């Protein structure tokens, strides 16, 4: 026992250091030389941690063996004493003191004994029970789906061009649009894996991207005297600006200064068909902007800390924050103005419908979310997926890591109703994507490849034939293209099954013990997420030159 107690504090200390260092890599701004030096020490810290965990495991195994041996000796002694008592009572042919083979005295199997040393077999998860009660068709359908994913194969395409971390991704047709800490936005043609546009205009790292829907692009094109077929992309940055880009022309058409670092961004359709840009800020504000004029429509202090994610869902808008809270917003249909004009002074385009404030033991440092009906799936700085019922505020957890020390950066719903989540193990530095069916949360498979980097952003779309295309960003930008079932091409991706991820949602009371011990470090992590340090010396990077001049249209 002493060995375990001596090792545990050092393990917790190393995990805390690794979590803080990994959060540096996820910063939207450039790193100082001191921060870069810390990142360079990750491998040495992980080697030390692996050694400590191995030694601790050996100590615990020895303790377990000693407990099992002690238990067996205790049971054997009780059995012998019991048999001796029976012999004394019988006083028959067998005399007292007569020796007998002990194997005839001991029971063939020791009775079960509750112990924290042996994990009990997991029962059917709620999702499994639901499928069985709903009938064999549902259960059979899930088994078929699971079997198809266990045999899935993917080709990987690397899109090379950014000189720093890729922080955000969006997709349209056969194109991937990426934003990076190198201050640029790039447009990629997926079938040829080629860079089509390099859009330079920001003076700080790009943090978020959004698409202007086709139905709103016509009015926006007319307002800037461009062809009605033009497509527009929005980008937000730590330089406090929103830039509206004309993708076909390859240039910016409007810059909006917001007075605060933009940390999240979306384009929403209002009740009467108008469009608004909605942004989240480093200071916790949710703000609305008219894309045709650049005018501010509304500003609300929504959260106590930086807004990390904004997701529209029908007439609702969901916002998540570093402070661990989720807010649900509704467009005010009574006061909404028509056309491209903002609402009159004193009116509110959106109103707060529900506030789900965080209990420190349930939600913490929200990194991403995706709503589905009354449920919201949330990725946080902890190892589980959190499932929030936004009407009641109840939170349950779905396992997303095989260990208790991990981060869930991305949660995403695919076009055919699957839940795709990223998994990053702090102890080993391993990354993977986990796949679940919806709405039953049934675990399907885990996909990855050797030395996969941490996935900081994620998007997906379906091909015309129904195949999956995913794109992940972080230290690299990678397109995952699902191979047809009849293809003989070798898969670049390994598909695994992790039994511990099969358990269904459990009520949220507290995180795993490792994460409870790490709660005290939460404030330090929050402070480092978005704040620009006083030190002005940063790592030089070779960003491609700005390209603000008109260019040829997109191929295809």
């Amino acid at each position: 026992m002493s060995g375990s107690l001596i090792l545990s504090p050092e393990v917790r200390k190393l995990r805390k250091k690794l979590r803080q260092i990994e959060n540096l890599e996820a910063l939207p701004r450039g790193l100082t030389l001191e921060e870069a030096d810390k990142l360079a020490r990750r491998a040495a810290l992980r080697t030390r941690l692996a050694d400590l965990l191995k030694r601790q495991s050996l100590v615990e195994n020895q303790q377990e063996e000693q407990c099992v041996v002690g238990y067996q000796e205790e049971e054997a002694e009780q059995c012998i004493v019991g048999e001796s008592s029976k012999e004394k009572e019988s006083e028959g042919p067998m005399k007292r003191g007569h020796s007998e083979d002990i194997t005839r005295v001991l029971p063939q199997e020791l009775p079960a004994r509750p112990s924290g040393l042996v994990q009990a077999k997991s029962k059917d998860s709620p999702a499994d029970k639901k499928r069985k009660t709903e009938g064999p068709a549902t259960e059979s359908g899930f088994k078929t789906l699971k079997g198809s994913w266990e045999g899935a194969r993917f080709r990987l395409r690397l899109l090379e061009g950014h000189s720093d971390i890729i922080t955000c991704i969006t997709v349209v047709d056969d194109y991937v649009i990426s934003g990076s800490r190198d201050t640029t936005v790039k447009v990629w043609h997926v079938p040829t894996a080629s860079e089509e546009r390099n859009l330079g205009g920001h003076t700080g790292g790009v943090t978020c991207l959004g698409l202007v829907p086709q139905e709103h692009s016509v009015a926006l094109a007319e307002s800037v005297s461009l062809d009605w077929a033009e497509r527009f992309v929005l980008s937000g940055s730590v330089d406090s600006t929103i830039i509206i880009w004309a993708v076909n022309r390859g240039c910016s058409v409007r810059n909006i200064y917001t007075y605060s670092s933009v940390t999240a961004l979306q384009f929403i359709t209002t009740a009467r068909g108008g469009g608004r840009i909605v942004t989240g800020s480093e200071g916790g504000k949710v703000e609305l902007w008219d894309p045709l004029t650049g005018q501010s429509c509304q500003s609300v202090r929504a959260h106590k800390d930086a807004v990390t994610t904004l997701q529209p869902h029908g007439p609702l808008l969901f916002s998540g924050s570093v402070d661990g809270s989720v807010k649900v917003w509704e467009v005010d249909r009574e006061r909404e103005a028509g056309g491209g004009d903002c609402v009159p002074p004193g009116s509110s385009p959106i109103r707060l419908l529900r506030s789900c404030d965080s209990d420190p033991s349930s939600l913490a440092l929200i990194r991403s979310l995706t709503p589905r009906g009354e449920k919201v799936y949330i990725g946080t700085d902890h190892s589980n997926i959190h499932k929030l019922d936004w009407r009641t505020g109840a939170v349950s957890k779905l396992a997303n890591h095989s260990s208790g020390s991990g981060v869930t950066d991305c949660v995403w719903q695919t076009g055919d109703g699957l839940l795709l989540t990223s998994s990053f193990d702090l102890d080993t530095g391993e990354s993977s994507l986990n796949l679940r069916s919806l709405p039953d949360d049934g675990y399907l498979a885990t996909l990855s490849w050797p030395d996969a980097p941490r996935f900081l952003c994620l998007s997906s779309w379906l091909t015309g034939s129904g195949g999956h295309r995913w794109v992940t960003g972080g230290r690299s930008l990678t397109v995952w293209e699902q191979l047809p079932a009849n293809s003989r091409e070798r898969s670049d991706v390994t598909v695994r099954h992790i039994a511990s991820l099969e358990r269904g949602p459990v009520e949220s009371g507290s995180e795993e013990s490792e994460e409870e011990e790490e709660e005290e470090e939460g404030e330090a992590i929050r402070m480092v997420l978005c704040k620009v340090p006083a030190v002005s010396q940063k790592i030089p990077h070779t960003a491609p030159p700005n390209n603000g001049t008109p260019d040829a249209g997109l191929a295809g």
Side-chain angles (χ1 to χ4, degrees):
M1 184 69 71
S2 60
S4 178
L5 291 174
I6 291 172
L7 291 173
S8 291
E10 191 170 358
V11 168
R12 292 198 298 270
K13 184 178 179 180
L14 284 175
R15 281 178 169 171
K16 179 178 178 178
K17 279 186 178 181
L18 279 170
R19 188 179 290 274
Q20 292 172 333
I21 289 173
E22 289 294 347
N23 278 324
L24 291 176
E25 187 170 58
L27 287 175
R29 57 168 175 79
L31 301 184
T32 66
L33 293 175
E34 181 182 356
E35 290 169 339
D37 183 61
K38 289 180 179 179
L39 281 175
R41 296 202 297 266
R42 281 181 300 187
L45 289 174
R46 283 206 168 94
T47 300
R48 173 63 178 158
L49 178 59
D51 181 59
L52 288 173
L53 290 173
K54 183 178 180 180
R55 287 165 54 191
Q56 182 167 332
S57 178
L58 289 173
V59 171
E60 290 174 349
N61 288 339
Q62 289 173 359
Q63 293 170 352
E64 182 176 345
E65 289 175 2
Q66 291 172 0
C67 289
V68 171
V69 170
Y71 168 64
Q72 290 175 337
E73 290 177 349
E74 179 185 345
E75 292 293 331
E77 183 178 349
Q78 291 177 356
C79 290
I80 293 173
V81 170
E83 189 69 22
S84 299
S85 299
K86 291 180 181 179
E87 290 174 358
K88 289 179 182 179
E89 291 175 3
S90 62
E91 283 289 332
M94 188 174 286
K95 297 181 180 179
R96 294 166 65 179
H98 182 74
S99 62
E100 186 175 359
D101 187 357
I102 195 168
T103 57
R104 295 177 57 191
V105 178
L106 289 174
Q108 294 302 310
E109 294 184 4
L110 294 176
R113 175 179 177 179
S115 172
L117 299 174
V118 181
Q119 185 175 357
K121 287 186 178 180
S122 58
K123 299 179 181 179
D124 286 344
S125 69
D128 292 332
K129 292 179 180 178
K130 183 178 179 181
R131 283 192 293 269
K132 290 179 179 179
T133 55
E134 286 180 349
T138 304
E139 186 178 358
S140 174
F142 175 77
K143 287 181 177 179
T144 301
L145 179 64
K146 187 173 183 178
S148 68
W149 277 104
E150 288 174 347
R153 292 174 299 143
F154 280 80
R155 176 198 302 123
L156 298 178
R157 291 174 178 262
L158 190 63
L159 306 179
E160 298 180 290
H162 283 296
S163 60
D164 209 331
I165 295 295
I166 293 93
T167 57
C168 46
I169 302 167
T170 189
V171 297
V172 55
D173 301 326
D174 280 334
Y175 294 91
V176 168
I177 304 166
S178 58
S180 169
R181 204 162 61 185
D182 67 12
T183 76
T184 67
V185 174
K186 292 183 182 291
V187 182
W188 311 84
H189 185 235
V190 173
T192 59
S194 61
E195 180 184 326
E196 294 283 329
R197 297 285 182 274
N198 171 48
L199 306 175
H202 285 292
T203 59
V206 179
T207 56
C208 44
L209 293 169
L211 286 173
V212 178
Q214 188 67 52
E215 60 268 26
H216 296 287
S217 294
V218 175
L220 185 53
E222 290 178 352
S223 72
V224 293
S225 302
L226 291 179
D227 186 86
W228 63 270
E230 184 62 71
R231 296 303 302 268
F232 296 94
V233 173
L234 312 167
S235 62
S237 168
V238 295
D239 65 10
S240 304
T241 63
I242 306 164
I243 297 182
I244 304 177
W245 304 94
V247 179
N248 291 337
R249 297 269 290 181
C251 63
S252 62
V253 298
R254 179 161 290 121
N255 287 32
I256 303 173
Y257 190 72
T258 68
Y259 298 94
S260 182
S261 294
V262 182
T263 53
L265 178 150
Q266 286 287 347
F267 192 97
I268 61 172
T269 301
T270 57
R272 295 192 180 184
R276 298 287 183 271
I277 300 170
V278 56
T279 61
S281 79
E282 178 186 4
K285 287 184 178 180
V286 170
E287 300 176 276
L288 273 74
W289 311 85
D290 187 337
L292 304 185
T293 66
Q295 180 185 352
S296 174
C297 301
Q298 185 180 0
S299 179
V300 182
R301 181 62 186 271
H303 298 274
K304 297 176 183 178
D305 212 326
V307 179
T308 53
T309 178
L310 291 165
Q311 292 297 328
H313 184 57
L316 303 178
L317 174 71
F318 292 79
S319 62
S321 168
V322 168
D323 66 16
S325 65
V326 174
K327 309 281 180 166
V328 188
W329 308 85
E330 182 182 36
V331 173
D332 191 333
R333 297 174 182 269
E334 299 299 323
R335 300 178 184 176
E336 181 63 40
D341 298 327
C342 285
V343 296
S347 298
S348 301
I350 62 171
R351 66 181 182 90
L352 183 62
L353 182 64
R354 176 77 180 174
S355 178
C356 303
D357 293 323
S358 170
D359 178 340
S361 66
S362 57
L363 296 180
L365 210 163
I366 294 174
R367 294 185 175 275
S368 58
L369 63 81
T370 179
R372 183 184 176 90
E374 297 182 356
K375 302 295 189 292
V376 184
Y377 294 88
I378 302 169
T380 75
D381 208 39
H382 286 165
S383 60
N384 291 317
I385 306 163
H386 292 77
K387 185 177 178 181
L388 168 70
D389 186 319
W390 63 265
R391 290 193 180 276
T392 65
V395 179
S396 56
K397 298 180 294 185
L398 287 165
N400 195 46
H401 291 71
S402 56
S403 70
S405 180
V407 179
T408 303
D409 288 292
C410 312
V411 291
W412 181 270
Q413 290 182 66
T414 66
D416 56 351
L418 302 178
L419 182 67
L420 193 59
T421 61
S422 67
S423 169
F424 179 69
D425 192 311
L426 285 169
D427 289 355
T428 63
E430 295 178 354
S431 278
S432 59
L433 293 180
N434 295 324
L435 203 59
R436 291 180 179 271
S437 60
L438 292 174
D440 60 357
D441 305 325
Y443 169 68
L444 298 172
T446 294
L447 302 92
S448 187
W449 73 90
D451 301 320
R454 179 176 177 180
F455 306 133
L456 297 175
C457 47
L458 166 67
S459 189
S460 78
W461 71 108
L462 298 176
T463 64
S465 60
H468 280 253
R469 275 182 179 164
W470 306 336
V471 56
T472 53
R475 289 199 304 274
S476 63
L477 183 61
T478 308
V479 175
W480 308 45
E481 188 170 3
Q482 187 175 16
L483 297 171
N486 59 357
S487 172
R488 295 185 178 182
E489 186 175 344
R490 184 177 179 180
S491 178
D492 297 325
V493 170
T494 301
V495 181
R496 294 179 296 147
H497 179 267
I498 302 175
S500 60
L501 303 191
E502 287 193 323
R503 65 177 185 268
V506 294
E507 206 172 307
S508 180
S510 62
E511 284 289 350
E512 282 80 358
S513 59
E514 290 91 345
E515 293 181 347
E516 289 177 339
E517 292 160 349
E518 290 168 355
E519 273 183 23
E520 60 186 8
E521 78 196 46
E523 195 61 35
I525 296 173
R526 288 179 173 83
M527 290 175 63
V528 79
L529 268 181
C530 298
K531 309 298 182 184
V532 178
V535 181
S536 60
Q537 188 181 20
K538 296 183 179 179
I539 304 170
H541 66 267
T542 56
N546 286 350
N547 179 13
T549 56
D551 202 345
L554 290 176

